[in-house]
Structure formats: structure tokens, C-alpha cells
Amino acid sequence: MALTNNKNVLAWVDEMVALTKPDKVVWIDGSKEQLDALTEEVTSLPEGNRDKMYKLNPEKLPGCLYHRTLPNDVARVEDRTFICTKKKEDAGPTNNWMAPDEMKAKLVPLYDGVMKGRTMYVIPYSMGPIGSPLAKVGVELTDSIYVVLNMNIMTRMGKQAFENLGDVSNDFVRGLHSKADVDPENRYIVQFPEENTIWSINSAYGGNVLLGKKCFALRIASFQGKNEGWMAEHMLILGVQKPSGETVYITAAFPSACGKTNLAMLIPPEGYQKAGYKVFTVGDDIAWMKPGKDGRLYAINPENGFFGVAPGTNEKSNPNALACTKSGTIFTNVALNNADNTVWWEKLDKNPPVDATEWKGAKVNGPEFIAEVDEKTGKNKTLAHPNSRFTAPAENCPCISPEFNNPAGVPISAIIFGGRRASTTPLVYQSFDWTHGTYMGSAVSSETTAAATGAVGVLRHDPMAMKPFIGYNVGDYWAHWLEMGEKLGDKAPKIFNVNWFKTDDEGNFLWPGFGDNMRVLDWIIKRCEGTVDAVETPIGYEPKAEDINVDGLVYEGKQFTSDDIADLLKLDMDKWESEITEMRRYYDEDIKAKGGNIPAALYEQLDKLEDRIKKAAK
Ligand code: GTP
Ligand code: SPV
Ligand code: MN
């Protein structure tokens, strides 16, 4: 039975039913009974059915499920992701583009009758706390129970989302997803920002199919934000509670699989804990930000769960994330420990299961399997896929912020950019002002990871960590950043850049990272409060080495010293000259020549930076 009288919703669902021709339409109310029944149905499917999910050990992992996707369907597919605006220049140089009519002409035949013999689920959901002025409603139509169960964790799903929408509003995002044949040749992830519409077909994986996440909360929402005066960003949101009891909120934009979940759930080093510091998580992937009545920038996390990278998550690196996954969690493409029907992934612990099922579904002897070298990669085989993920409810998080459901959001003091850079970029530096900070964001590059298909470890430009997620012209997006800065004036957050990933010649990380990143946050907070000074360098303000606290910091068996910090802050001007040459090439050739309207203020920043670097290099 339809759960709403909203005519816009009803008309659109009818239209999509007529197109996809499901045997049955089920409206998802979000009730426990309904979700339990769907869980029974999907876990009772026969072995080999590609929708199948598995129940895990009810004592050790209560309410947890397991699923594996096809080997060619394990990550976002940026080459098959499109922004379909009427005019090509509105999609800009960072997006694949096709005219909406042309794209629909291509996709309608693929969707025609695609749900015959299957059930269509109608999922109403809210991105953001129900009732928040910053929240928005979406409806996803899908033929996948896996999607329904994931959306239940990742969003506020169910009929209350319709109550928020009311009977007449047309302000909801229309998402249509079908697994279809999971045919990679016909896989499309398509956004129509001018129509608040998303069409996804032939994938069953994460960011391609949980349409509230990257498709809505970043691609469509960034476009809405530009038109409505707010920002949708690929950022975690955390709160640092200080010994005084006051909490300072920070957002950070790092590219996919570059440490957002880890930083968001950071456990401070012992010395900080003793002094009374605590970190709270508001979000681990996406921030929606808007100026509040007091003129400061406020952020909400539109999501309700964490779709986190499993490999590397362990009791030491991120105990809070691990705790999140102990109940009510869906695991995708990790390995199974058949001895006790639990899950395993690389670096969970040092004991890979002997009786294991690797992520593709083969039964193997774990230790022997990972001792083998993969012919394709030349690296050791892994039991879990490098981009295997957990979908865990935010309420499971031991450090979830008391402000998580606050409809007004939290006021942001600092914005951090970062990426994986083996060299060049120092541990931390601060922009001179918002405009320079916007330039810094536009200049983010990072080594690619397994979160998207394609080569791993290749340095690429990823402005604001939003390269795959800006739903319009990147030049206009930068202009929007500058406008927001003007609007916020002296209440704007301070902007920083960090790099946790500098390596030595052998590729070992020079900075311990994880909980010790608190030491860098400490400096950032002090800069926001004006309680520590800094060194002015050609690229921005850097800490004095002695202002990064290294008390109790032992790394690789050695006490970390201020000299080690100085090494991480040292600027190699030859490298920065190459960096600036590459930035100019990027602006000129990759953006401007391809239709990106780069704001003059950013070219000015580039000119000034080049001047400062040239002077310093002499
Ligand atoms: P998405 O969910 O794809 O957006 O990723 P994310 O940005 O949330 O990345 P996440 O925190 O899941 O980390 C990805 C990988 O980076 C994991 O393997 C982590 O163990 C590793 N990582 C995270 N933080 C650090 C750090 O401070 N230092 C080092 N060396 N590795 C880190
Ligand atoms: C990312 O790739 O940035 C993710 C995972 O957070 S996905 O939802 O698949 O996009
Ligand atoms: Mn992400």
C-alpha cells in the first residue's frame, strides 16, 4: 500500500512501475517486522543466487549479515558516472556528460521490463535528522533487498520521511536503481541535477546503488547547495571536547579511502585523555553546511550510518569503528571465517582464518592463500577485497556525538584538506585566508585507492576531495566556495591542509597517524583560538616544530622528537616548483581549456604562490 498521498511521488512511482514492470511493488515503512521478513527472504535464497545474503554468528555478531558482489562490481565506476545537464558546460570538465534526452533514450530500453519477475521496493528516506531545516527527502526505487537493508542503516528510512515531505511538495530526489544483469558494459550511474533525479543500473555495489550517499548527498546536493546558498562536501565532522568541557568542531575533506572514518573516530593518545580531551564523531564521509543565524558555518551529517573501509580497521587503528561493526552491520566482500561464521579482513588481526572463504567465494586455507602472489598485481593475495566495506549504524559508535541528531547542526571552526602524498606536502599547514584556503582545496592531489575502479597509487588531482562528486562545473563550484567565504566573513572557519602519508625511500610512513593525528588537531584548534603562533612560509603558515606535542609518542620503537616533526614540515622548494608548474598546467589544460570557469581570484592565488616559491627557491 502506498505510504503517502503526495501526488508527485505517486505519479513518479507509477511511471517507473510502467517502465520497469515489476511483479510486485512493496512500500518500505521501515518497521522491524518488515525488515525482519526481508532479511529472512534474502538469507533463504539458494546458494548461487546473486541477491543472496548470509546471517553471521548470532552470538558474536548479532543481527549482522554478509554479502558478496560480483568481482567486476566492487567499487565506484567513475568512467560510467554521468552528470546530465541540458548544457554540457554546466557539467564542466571534471564530469562525463550526456544530454538528458540522449541519456534517457539510451537507458529507457535497459530499464524497460527490467523488474519482470522481481519486486520493486519503494524506499522513502531523509538525508539529515527528520525535521532539520537542513535535511532533504529522497525516494529510492530498487529491486534489491540488499539496498533496502543498507539504506535502513545509512539513512533515516521509512514512512516518517514522507511525513516530512507532506502531500504537495515536489522537493524530493527521485532515485531509480536496478541490478539488472549486473552487466559492466551497460553499467550507468547517472545524475540529472536539473530534475532531482538519479538513475543507476547494472551494479549492486555501495556508492553505485545506495543512492542517498554519493549520488544524492554529494552530486545532486552540491548542485542544490550552489543554488540555495549552502555546501555539500566529502567531509567528516568531528568534535574535540577540551578539558574545559567546550567542544570545537572540525570538518575534513580527504579523498576516498584516505582516512576520514579513522580521523572522525580518533582516540586521543593517553596524555591527551588524561588531560581530559575526547573526540566525538558527527559524521565520517559527508557534511552539509550552511551559515547559521549567528553567521557561523553549521554542519550536519546527512547520513545515519557508516559505509566504511574494512581492511586496516582493527583494535589498535580504529577501535571505535570496530565496535560499530559488532551488531546490526552488513559486511560486503570481506572474508568469512568458516570455523565460527564470523568475518575477517587484512590487518583485522594477525590470525587469518585457516578455514576461510575469500571474498570471491572460494573456500581456502587463509594463511596459505595470502602467502601466494597474485599474477596480476605482483602482490600477495588478499582474503578480503581491498575495498570491502562494513555498513554500520551510527548509534553503535561508542564516540557518537551528543549533537548527532541536532537539527541545527554543529558550528565549524576549522576545515581541513588532505590526501595521500608520499612527498612534497608537509604534515600540516594553514592558509593565509579563506581565498587562499579555497586555492589549497582546488590544489588537492592524492594517490588513487581501491575505492574506485582503475589503477591504485597514481597521483591525481582531486579538488576538495570532490573530483568524482561535484554535480556541476568545477569552476562554478570554486566560485561558490569563494562566495560562501565572503558571506561568512570573519566568522569563516580557518582552512588547513594535512598529509598523514609522507613516506621514506622504502615506502614506510614517516608519521604514525591514526590516534596521534590528535597532536595535529591540537595545533589546529590552538590556531583557531589564536593561542599559538606560526611560521610564515611560501605555502602558508606552518607550526614551529616544538609546537607539535610529541610527549609519549613512540613510533617504530623510537621516541619521536621535534627534529622528526621538523623533517615532516620541511619544504623542498624544487618539489614545490614542480608542484606549481603542474598546478598551472592543471588549471590551464584540464580545467580552463575544457570549459571550467576558474575564478580570477584563484589564478591570482596561483601567481602569488608561484612568486613566493620562486623567491624562496633562489
Ligand atoms: P571512504 O569511505 O572511501 O570515503 O574512505 P575514508 O576517507 O573514510 O578512509 P578510511 O578512514 O576508511 O581509511 C582508509 C585507509 O587508510 C584504511 O586502510 C586506513 O587504515 C588508512 N588510514 C586511515 N588513517 C590513516 C593514518 O592516519 N595513517 C595511515 N598511514 N593510514 C591511515
Ligand atoms: C567513497 O568511495 O568515497 C566511499 C565509498 O565513501 S562509496 O559509497 O562506494 O562511494
Ligand atoms: Mn567517501
Side-chain angles (χ1 to χ4, degrees):
M1 200 189 62
L3 292 172
T4 178
N5 295 319
N6 185 299
K7 283 196 213 61
N8 302 305
V9 174
L10 294 174
W12 168 68
V13 172
D14 280 350
E15 196 190 327
M16 294 302 112
V17 167
L19 173 62
T20 59
K21 305 179 179 64
D23 283 13
K24 217 166 62 166
V25 177
V26 171
W27 292 69
I28 298 296
D29 59 20
S31 67
K32 185 171 181 312
E33 300 76 66
Q34 190 183 40
L35 294 168
D36 285 349
L38 288 172
T39 301
E40 284 311 314
E41 184 181 333
V42 79
T43 53
S44 309
L45 290 169
E47 205 58 47
N49 183 306
R50 59 165 205 268
D51 291 331
K52 184 162 179 70
M53 297 177 77
Y54 300 81
K55 286 187 185 166
L56 293 165
N57 185 317
E59 272 87 48
K60 293 187 174 166
L61 295 169
C64 291
L65 298 172
Y66 174 73
H67 181 63
R68 70 173 75 86
T69 58
L70 291 177
N72 66 26
D73 188 29
V74 293
R76 285 182 295 99
V77 280
E78 294 180 6
D79 53 332
R80 311 207 62 91
T81 300
F82 287 78
I83 299 295
C84 295
T85 43
K86 281 191 209 101
K87 289 195 238 149
K88 183 168 197 253
E89 58 264 36
D90 290 339
T94 56
N95 287 306
N96 299 310
W97 174 86
M98 207 185 278
D101 289 349
E102 199 187 329
M103 181 56 89
K104 283 180 193 162
K106 196 190 246 309
L107 295 190
V108 161
L110 297 179
Y111 280 112
D112 187 7
V114 74
M115 293 192 193
K116 268 186 198 151
R118 296 175 67 83
T119 301
M120 174 192 277
Y121 301 96
V122 182
I123 309 173
Y125 63 94
S126 170
M127 296 311 285
I130 301 271
S132 164
L134 288 147
K136 294 216 173 240
V137 174
V139 182
E140 175 166 355
L141 310 179
T142 180
D143 53 7
S144 160
I145 295 178
Y146 171 81
V147 168
V148 176
L149 299 178
N150 272 275
M151 288 294 280
N152 179 49
I153 299 171
M154 293 307 295
T155 73
R156 280 106 173 151
M157 181 184 89
K159 59 175 185 287
Q160 70 279 19
F162 277 143
E163 283 157 24
N164 231 29
L165 184 66
D167 283 353
V168 292
S169 173
N170 198 23
D171 186 12
F172 66 97
V173 170
R174 297 146 160 82
L176 174 65
H177 164 249
S178 174
K179 286 181 80 163
D181 306 316
V182 210
D183 167 14
E185 298 299 314
N186 282 308
R187 184 168 294 152
Y188 288 94
I189 315 300
V190 180
Q191 284 69 207
F192 302 94
E194 290 149 347
E195 301 169 40
N196 272 350
T197 296
I198 303 155
W199 282 9
S200 159
I201 192 162
N202 277 306
S203 174
Y205 186 78
N208 298 334
V209 303
L210 309 178
L211 302 185
K213 196 173 177 59
K214 296 303 164 59
C215 303
F216 177 176
L218 289 178
R219 298 194 189 100
I220 299 276
S222 61
F223 177 86
Q224 295 175 327
K226 182 197 63 155
N227 294 323
E228 298 167 9
W230 54 283
M231 307 166 90
E233 299 293 338
H234 193 200
M235 291 177 178
L236 68 93
I237 311 165
L238 64 78
V240 179
Q241 190 181 62
K242 300 191 301 176
S244 65
E246 187 207 344
T247 304
V248 178
Y249 292 95
I250 298 173
T251 65
F254 308 153
S256 301
C258 291
K260 289 182 300 302
T261 303
N262 278 271
L263 190 66
M265 298 182 190
L266 173 154
I267 295 185
E270 214 180 288
Y272 280 90
Q273 289 181 36
K274 284 205 178 118
Y277 284 89
K278 194 169 178 339
V279 169
F280 290 101
T281 309
V282 182
D284 82 326
D285 198 49
I286 299 177
W288 284 2
M289 303 190 288
K290 192 177 181 176
K293 285 201 189 81
D294 62 1
R296 296 186 66 189
L297 189 62
Y298 281 75
I300 63 162
N301 172 11
E303 304 191 279
N304 201 26
F306 308 118
F307 187 61
V309 178
T313 307
N314 60 52
E315 203 47 70
K316 193 159 171 284
S317 68
N318 194 346
N320 284 322
L322 199 60
C324 292
T325 66
K326 292 301 177 193
S327 67
T329 293
I330 298 171
F331 297 92
T332 304
N333 297 336
V334 300
L336 288 174
N337 180 348
N338 299 318
D340 63 355
N341 195 27
T342 57
V343 289
W344 195 85
W345 51 74
E346 274 58 32
K347 295 203 188 146
L348 173 64
D349 54 40
K350 295 198 168 104
N351 308 305
V354 175
D355 180 5
T357 302
E358 50 82 272
W359 69 271
K360 291 199 213 74
K363 289 225 171 19
V364 298
N365 174 309
E368 284 176 14
F369 186 80
I370 60 182
E372 289 173 33
V373 171
D374 188 315
E375 275 173 32
K376 261 201 238 146
T377 62
K379 291 191 184 145
N380 284 85
K381 290 185 175 172
T382 60
L383 285 171
H385 186 273
N387 191 39
S388 54
R389 299 246 168 190
F390 54 80
T391 318
E395 64 182 23
N396 281 5
C397 183
C399 57
I400 195 71
S401 166
E403 303 300 317
F404 177 71
N405 283 311
N406 185 340
V410 294
I412 302 304
S413 299
I415 293 175
I416 307 177
F417 294 116
R420 280 178 193 265
R421 295 296 304 264
S423 74
T424 314
T425 314
L427 180 63
V428 58
Y429 65 107
Q430 182 187 356
S431 76
F432 294 122
D433 54 31
W434 181 276
T435 307
H436 177 223
T438 302
Y439 168 81
M440 271 161 49
S442 81
V444 169
S445 307
S446 188
E447 289 138 26
T448 51
T449 66
T453 53
V456 169
V458 181
L459 191 63
R460 75 157 183 184
H461 289 276
D462 193 347
M464 280 81 173
M466 283 285 281
K467 151 98 179 50
F469 309 122
I470 303 167
Y472 59 106
N473 190 308
V474 62
D476 298 337
Y477 167 80
W478 291 334
H480 182 52
W481 264 81
L482 295 174
E483 277 160 28
M484 292 300 294
E486 256 167 53
K487 198 183 293 180
L488 292 160
D490 60 5
K491 301 220 165 105
K494 303 274 186 277
I495 299 180
F496 299 81
N497 195 92
V498 300
N499 179 17
W500 313 143
F501 297 96
K502 259 193 149 175
T503 54
D504 64 14
D505 295 341
E506 272 105 58
N508 304 305
F509 292 119
L510 291 167
W511 172 247
F514 300 100
D516 287 309
N517 293 332
M518 178 66 211
R519 300 168 189 277
V520 173
L521 295 184
D522 185 14
W523 183 78
I524 287 174
I525 292 168
K526 290 192 177 122
R527 286 299 292 166
C528 293
E529 294 173 341
T531 53
V532 68
D533 55 7
V535 184
E536 190 172 333
T537 81
I539 67 166
Y541 297 117
E542 278 199 340
K544 295 180 177 162
E546 64 271 24
D547 286 336
I548 300 289
N549 172 10
V550 289
D551 289 352
L553 175 51
V554 177
Y555 184 48
E556 302 290 334
K558 284 206 301 268
Q559 170 64 44
F560 218 80
T561 65
S562 291
D563 287 345
D564 297 323
I565 296 288
D567 276 346
L568 288 166
L569 294 170
K570 206 186 299 158
L571 301 174
D572 178 335
M573 284 305 151
D574 289 342
K575 289 216 164 79
W576 273 94
E577 282 200 278
S578 316
E579 184 88 358
I580 207 84
T581 306
E582 169 52 26
M583 262 316 280
R584 195 170 290 283
R585 188 208 61 75
Y586 172 65
Y587 268 16
D588 288 348
E589 294 175 19
D590 293 359
I591 305 297
K592 193 175 163 201
K594 295 189 174 146
N597 327 309
I598 302 181
L602 292 191
Y603 261 117
E604 241 168 64
Q605 288 293 327
L606 180 61
D607 292 343
K608 286 197 218 159
L609 177 60
E610 183 169 25
D611 267 2
R612 295 192 300 262
I613 286 169
K614 289 235 158 97
K615 274 195 199 117
K618 264 189 210 150

